[in-house]
Amino acid sequence: NLWGLHNTGQQGGKVDTDIDAPEAWATTTGSHNNVIAVIDTGTDYTHKALAGNLWTNPKDGSHGYNAITGSNDPMDDHYHGTHCAGTVAGNGTDGVYGVSHKAQLMPIKFLSGSGGGTLADAIKGIVFATENGARITSNSWGGGPFNQALKDAFASSPALHIIAAGNDSNNNDARPTYPATYDMDNIVSVAASDRNEALASFTNYGATTVDLAAPGVAIYSTTPGNKYKNLDGTSMACPHVSGAAGLILAAYPEISNDELKARL
């Protein structure tokens, strides 16, 4: 099912239309030294395929942050964030591997069970990730106009921020989509591709505002309650890149954001 990691032509796909994950794993499978924040609907931190890969707050033993309630409980009452987390760092249980399956996942919840949220809570989530040592943030969300405070939150963070380009079949060069279209050195904007090496029909694109594409159609990953399912979206492409960034960091721990972005 994980064609995005290793495509042998299964289910009608084009051979080797994938991110060459097994080839990368011959070098590294990731490192627990790298904290990757998944800023989303939260994460089911009890999922067996994520066990061993969750960041633990040294202050209280919790596993993340809920910006909606201001609490330390980022449990996912939707499914979206858990799915993204599995693509970043699934541990291989039931055969579901993330791209960087030894990273530390930092679940941050700012989107509700209905999938909506506020920019104020998004900013709180980014600040929490920054203050607690996240090296990468994975952002499978967007919407709304340009917001200076949100841009400033990303700009003030030393992390590299991987952001979904959006699912509106939109040219982000002509009609900017935020936060993916902020023109910043520490942002990577990700479109979605399919198993036949084409851009997904729904994906946003942009010759100057979108950096790369990653697998985002029929992506199999974790969902709450020790379950799994396929989802489509640039939301699914984004964590492939976040996981790949984690592998690069494992191999080159002192790499700068500019160098990391160039390698991606």
Side-chain angles (χ1 to χ4, degrees), residues 174-237:
R175 292 190 302 277
T177 298
Y178 298 103
T181 311
Y182 290 130
D183 185 11
M184 298 165 61
D185 290 341
N186 67 340
I187 279 180
V188 176
S189 177
V190 184
S193 58
D194 66 20
R195 68 176 78 238
N196 291 295
E197 210 168 22
L199 281 176
S201 61
F202 54 77
T203 191
N204 291 4
Y205 55 93
T208 61
T209 56
V210 178
D211 294 298
L212 76 171
V217 178
I219 303 304
Y220 190 72
S221 188
T222 47
T223 52
N226 288 320
K227 297 178 182 177
Y228 309 91
K229 69 176 176 180
N230 281 318
L231 290 176
D232 300 342
T234 56
S235 285
M236 285 64 252

Side-chain angles (χ1 to χ4, degrees), residues 5-246:
L5 304 184
H6 186 53
N7 191 340
T8 60
Q10 70 268 43
Q11 301 171 15
K14 181 179 177 182
V15 174
D16 207 31
T17 296
D18 55 38
I19 69 167
D20 284 347
E23 291 89 330
W25 295 337
T27 299
T28 179
T29 56
S31 169
H32 282 295
N33 293 326
N34 299 321
V35 179
I36 302 176
V38 179
I39 302 175
D40 210 287
T41 63
T43 296
D44 179 358
Y45 45 78
T46 68
H47 201 295
K48 58 186 178 179
L50 303 178
N53 286 346
L54 289 158
W55 173 79
T56 299
N57 191 330
K59 298 172 186 174
D60 58 16
S62 63
H63 294 301
Y65 176 61
N66 185 325
I68 301 171
T69 62
S71 75
N72 59 5
D73 186 1
M75 179 56 76
D76 187 3
D77 54 359
H78 188 263
Y79 58 80
H80 192 270
T82 301
H83 196 277
C84 293
T87 298
V88 175
N91 63 22
T93 298
D94 296 328
V96 176
Y97 285 93
V99 179
S100 181
H101 45 265
K102 288 185 180 175
Q104 282 192 73
L105 288 167
M106 177 189 286
I108 294 177
K109 179 177 177 62
F110 89 98
L111 296 170
S112 70
S114 62
T118 68
L119 284 177
D121 285 344
I123 291 167
K124 291 177 187 175
I126 296 163
V127 170
F128 181 91
T130 299
E131 291 179 345
N132 289 278
R135 184 63 182 82
I136 300 291
T137 75
S138 192
N139 302 271
S140 291
W141 52 274
F146 177 94
N147 182 275
Q148 188 64 48
L150 181 61
K151 183 178 181 183
D152 290 347
F154 283 120
S156 63
S157 170
L160 186 68
H161 306 287
I162 317 298
I163 304 180
N167 303 324
D168 307 305
S169 305
N170 177 61
N171 182 346
N172 287 356
D173 290 1
R175 292 190 302 277
T177 298
Y178 298 103
T181 311
Y182 290 130
D183 185 11
M184 298 165 61
D185 290 341
N186 67 340
I187 279 180
V188 176
S189 177
V190 184
S193 58
D194 66 20
R195 68 176 78 238
N196 291 295
E197 210 168 22
L199 281 176
S201 61
F202 54 77
T203 191
N204 291 4
Y205 55 93
T208 61
T209 56
V210 178
D211 294 298
L212 76 171
V217 178
I219 303 304
Y220 190 72
S221 188
T222 47
T223 52
N226 288 320
K227 297 178 182 177
Y228 309 91
K229 69 176 176 180
N230 281 318
L231 290 176
D232 300 342
T234 56
S235 285
M236 285 64 252
C238 174
H240 278 87
V241 181
S242 302

